Amino acid sequence: MLVVTGLAKSYPTPRGALDILAGVDLALRPGDAASIVGPSGSGKSTLLYILGALEPPTAGTVTLDGVDPFTLASAELATFRNRRVGFVFQDHLLLPQCTVLENVLVPTLVGDAVDGAGDRARELLGRAGLADRLDHRPAELSGGERQRVALARALIRRPPLLLCDEPTGNLDRAAGEVVADMLFDLHGGQETVLVVVTHNVDLAARCPIRYRLEGLGLKRVAGDDERSAGDEEPAAGGEKGTDPDEESVAGD
Ligand code: ADP
Ligand code: MG
């Protein structure tokens, strides 16, 4: 379970603190899939980095299955990030000199061994439609294929939290749809909490729980009410299929 309470983030600047996030509350259970939309610069990436323990909050707490990563010593924090969090960024960030299979196995090279890592990597890549591309280098793949490899890499350790920051942002609509299909195929029936930041209307709408970053806070646009603390009101007609992001950019 991912629980965020009273989260705030500001950056110091010469002219005082720049507030990015304030009063963010969120509670997601294993198996939940939530999307977050919002204008550029509204703090979506900042929020994901905090959820993934890459960046500390200025105030408030984040716990994943009862553990607050920001209370951990640095070695434990590194283990937490490696084992507990899968991250997919807009850029695939694959290692160019490594094969597809090796890239997926990278997170298993540090920390404790993953039983059957090779088999799991092959299975994930099979579900990515890349079973016959295991020995290819990233440069030999399309953008969508690279993103599917990045997703397989993020899931190799079966993390309880999967964070995706604009995972289809560099892809055309068709390639983005294949990545989204893989994302929900692999997430379905799993205990992983999925949080995806996106401008892609279709991808956002496929998440049963939907939020928008507005001002400094997170506003629920759709999803089960009781999950989130706070006083957001459910959007009228906020059923699956309504447009969660009118700022969406075509082809994004
Ligand atoms: P989004 O992902 O929604 O486009 P970001 O989370 O990347 O937005 O950024 C939110 C705001 O925080 C932006 O105004 C950005 O310039 C600012 N910001 C992000 N990182 C830093 C930093 N390290 N120092 C100062 N400001 C930052
Ligand atoms: Mg961003």
Side-chain angles (χ1 to χ4, degrees):
M1 175 127 193
L2 175 70
V3 181
V4 174
T5 313
L7 187 123
K9 180 71 180 179
S10 55
Y11 288 109
T13 73
R15 280 189 270 154
L18 173 67
D19 294 329
I20 309 296
L21 300 167
V24 173
D25 297 313
L26 183 65
L28 296 171
R29 291 196 277 253
D32 279 348
S35 61
I36 300 174
V37 299
S40 286
S42 59
K44 303 180 300 296
S45 294
T46 302
L47 177 57
L48 276 201
Y49 297 161
I50 296 171
L51 299 183
L54 297 174
E55 176 78 30
T58 310
T61 56
V62 177
T63 61
L64 181 62
D65 300 330
V67 176
D68 178 346
F70 301 106
T71 64
L72 300 175
S74 66
E76 285 144 13
L77 178 58
T79 301
F80 179 94
R81 289 183 187 126
N82 172 245
R83 269 200 235 154
R84 313 284 297 160
V85 186
F87 233 118
V88 177
F89 299 92
Q90 182 167 345
D91 292 314
H92 53 83
L93 302 178
L94 298 175
L95 299 172
Q97 70 277 31
C98 293
T99 66
V100 162
L101 182 62
E102 288 164 350
N103 266 286
V104 174
L105 287 169
V106 162
T108 69
L109 301 179
V110 290
D112 53 347
V114 177
D115 286 343
D119 288 344
R120 174 155 173 81
R122 284 185 186 83
E123 195 224 317
L124 287 167
L125 287 165
R127 289 170 77 171
L130 297 170
D132 55 351
R133 312 297 291 275
L134 303 184
D135 297 326
H136 288 227
R137 313 275 157 185
E140 298 163 337
L141 304 180
S142 71
E145 288 165 344
R146 283 182 213 137
Q147 238 3 14
R148 275 136 59 194
V149 176
L151 184 52
R153 177 183 55 183
L155 290 169
I156 186 78
R157 277 189 173 269
R158 303 178 199 275
L161 179 61
L162 175 62
L163 302 172
C164 301
D165 192 357
E166 313 256 19
T168 64
N170 288 348
L171 306 178
D172 66 29
R173 192 183 185 90
E177 202 172 304
V178 177
V179 168
D181 287 346
M182 179 186 169
L183 180 61
F184 291 105
D185 169 40
L186 292 172
H187 179 257
Q190 301 295 307
E191 294 292 278
T192 298
V193 174
L194 168 65
V195 183
V196 53
V197 159
T198 186
H199 285 289
N200 181 319
V201 175
D202 299 329
L203 176 53
R206 286 174 75 168
C207 294
I209 303 170
R210 306 205 282 278
Y211 288 91
R212 170 187 291 278
L213 255 184
E214 264 181 23
L216 300 176
L218 206 51
K219 183 177 178 201
R220 190 177 42 247
V221 233
D224 185 346
D225 249 282
E226 69 196 10
R227 292 173 190 233
S228 174
D231 55 6
E232 310 98 313
E233 65 224 37
E239 295 299 317
K240 213 169 179 170
T242 51
D243 180 355
D245 187 10
E246 65 267 23
E247 292 117 10
S248 179
V249 182
D252 195 335

